[in-house]
Amino acid sequence: MECNIDICLKTGDFMIKIIFSDMDGTLLDENGELPEEFPEVMAELKKRGVIFAPSSGRQYFALLEQMGEYKNEFMFLAENGAFNIYKENEICSSVLDMDLVHRVIAEADKHHFFAILCGKKNAYVRKEWEPYIHEARRFFTHSIFVDSFDDVDDEFVKIAFADCEGLDAEHNLMPVLTQFEPEQQVSLSSNYWVDILNPGINKGWAIKHIQERFGFKPEECAAFGDYMNDYEMMQSVHYSYAMENAYPELKKVARFTTKSNVEHGVIYQIKEFIKQGLI
């Protein structure tokens, strides 16, 4: 784990100073699109000195695919908090041990699991998985085919596995991959995706690091999420919101709920914050 830069953040004298939001099932609608009011609301946050922080299992480059115009404004928590960027500079990251990576991949190959190795420079998919590349590129827009992971020159922060056929990662992938705990952290990130990261690395870890680094108190932070990879994020802020469509266990740990992603709940709640004078 490392921090590379010193960044000065300027925020207004408001109660909520930074808003973390998951993407899929949270900020994005049922078609994977940003709400129509997104630019208007982001402009208002900027005017008030509030930072918006997309916080996703997606890679940094995939976040830029939809939000590139904000790359010098937003704080990006990518790869479920394992790789975090602000104004095109790395804040902090957590790099996987390659011996463990090889062991996990070898076991996954026995079960024919679709694996993506997520690096700081790119995401890597073996050529044998080409039939499923359309699924990979929904979340890893910056990805290339390789013959073998052994020859890749990059630092890896996450391994993502997809159940592209059964679409039931909780029952098909998790029982196999959890054998690597506690050496690796295994997280269910959707109905058909499972992520492996270093132990203790998650969106909550990234948020706590940001809080310590830049002086944000939990009471000055809000967060929105819908799935279990948002669990620790909910625990790291005071204004923790589970979407109406959220996984039941996430609703138990969040302090509040808001409208579903289909109803643009994140935008709705930010506008409520403004009405209530919280930002």
Side-chain angles (χ1 to χ4, degrees):
M1 303 172 194
E2 59 179 346
C3 285
N4 296 335
I5 58 172
D6 188 41
I7 306 169
C8 240
L9 295 178
K10 295 181 180 180
T11 60
D13 297 324
F14 301 104
M15 188 173 294
I16 296 175
K17 295 184 177 180
I18 186 166
I19 299 171
F20 302 93
S21 178
D22 178 52
M23 294 287 286
D24 300 283
T26 300
L27 176 63
L28 303 181
D29 65 19
E30 70 274 28
N31 299 313
E33 301 292 334
L34 289 167
E36 186 177 341
E37 292 182 272
F38 185 77
E40 176 187 342
V41 173
M42 292 303 106
E44 188 65 27
L45 289 183
K46 182 180 180 180
K47 185 173 75 173
R48 293 166 181 262
V50 178
I51 295 170
F52 190 74
S55 309
S56 176
R58 294 182 180 221
Q59 67 176 165
Y60 171 60
F61 301 105
L63 294 175
L64 290 185
E65 192 84 4
Q66 282 188 307
M67 299 180 169
E69 65 186 287
Y70 300 102
K71 66 180 180 180
N72 289 313
E73 297 177 24
F74 290 176
M75 185 177 291
F76 293 92
L77 278 61
E79 310 287 15
N80 279 330
F83 186 48
N84 308 295
I85 302 290
Y86 182 60
K87 294 188 175 180
E88 300 189 82
N89 292 295
E90 180 179 323
I91 301 172
C92 58
S93 63
S94 181
V95 177
L96 296 169
D97 177 81
M98 283 307 299
D99 288 338
L100 280 171
V101 169
H102 290 312
R103 286 169 49 199
V104 172
I105 294 294
E107 183 63 28
D109 283 347
K110 296 177 184 177
H111 301 271
H112 206 60
F113 291 167
F114 174 32
I116 301 176
L117 201 51
C118 309
K120 293 182 179 181
K121 301 175 186 177
N122 221 322
Y124 306 91
V125 182
R126 289 192 312 224
K127 290 180 180 178
E128 65 197 81
W129 292 110
E130 189 168 359
Y132 298 106
I133 194 62
H134 65 283
E135 179 60 37
R137 287 188 172 148
R138 287 182 58 203
F139 307 102
F140 305 94
T141 57
H142 206 266
S143 57
I144 59 173
F145 286 117
V146 295
D147 292 317
S148 170
F149 292 140
D150 296 335
D151 302 324
V152 175
D153 179 22
D154 204 342
E155 292 183 293
F156 306 111
V157 295
K158 186 181 78 177
I159 316 172
F161 293 97
D163 182 13
C164 294
E165 296 179 350
L167 302 183
D168 187 359
E170 183 174 7
H171 297 101
N172 295 336
L173 305 189
M174 287 292 285
V176 174
L177 297 174
T178 51
Q179 68 178 282
F180 293 99
E181 295 178 332
E183 290 180 283
Q184 300 276 44
Q185 177 179 263
V186 183
S187 302
L188 184 68
S189 58
S190 78
N191 288 338
Y192 46 95
W193 283 97
V194 172
D195 295 332
I196 288 186
L197 304 96
N198 278 325
I201 303 304
N202 48 59
K203 296 177 186 180
W205 171 82
I207 289 172
K208 288 178 181 177
H209 182 91
I210 290 164
Q211 289 168 339
E212 292 172 5
R213 180 72 178 275
F214 303 120
F216 295 131
K217 299 175 183 177
E219 295 79 13
E220 297 172 326
C221 304
F224 297 89
D226 75 307
Y227 221 79
M228 292 306 286
N229 59 333
D230 301 316
Y231 192 91
E232 293 84 1
M233 181 166 72
M234 297 291 103
Q235 296 176 310
S236 303
V237 306
H238 176 75
Y239 295 96
S240 55
Y241 282 82
M243 310 305 289
E244 182 57 41
N245 54 290
Y247 196 73
E249 291 302 310
L250 191 76
K251 289 184 177 180
K252 292 179 182 179
V253 72
R255 282 190 175 88
F256 312 102
T257 59
T258 190
K259 294 182 178 182
S260 72
N261 67 312
V262 175
E263 299 172 287
H264 306 151
V266 173
I267 295 300
Y268 164 81
Q269 197 59 52
I270 292 174
K271 291 167 70 175
E272 287 297 301
F273 290 157
I274 293 171
K275 288 179 184 177
Q276 296 163 14
L278 291 174
I279 56 178

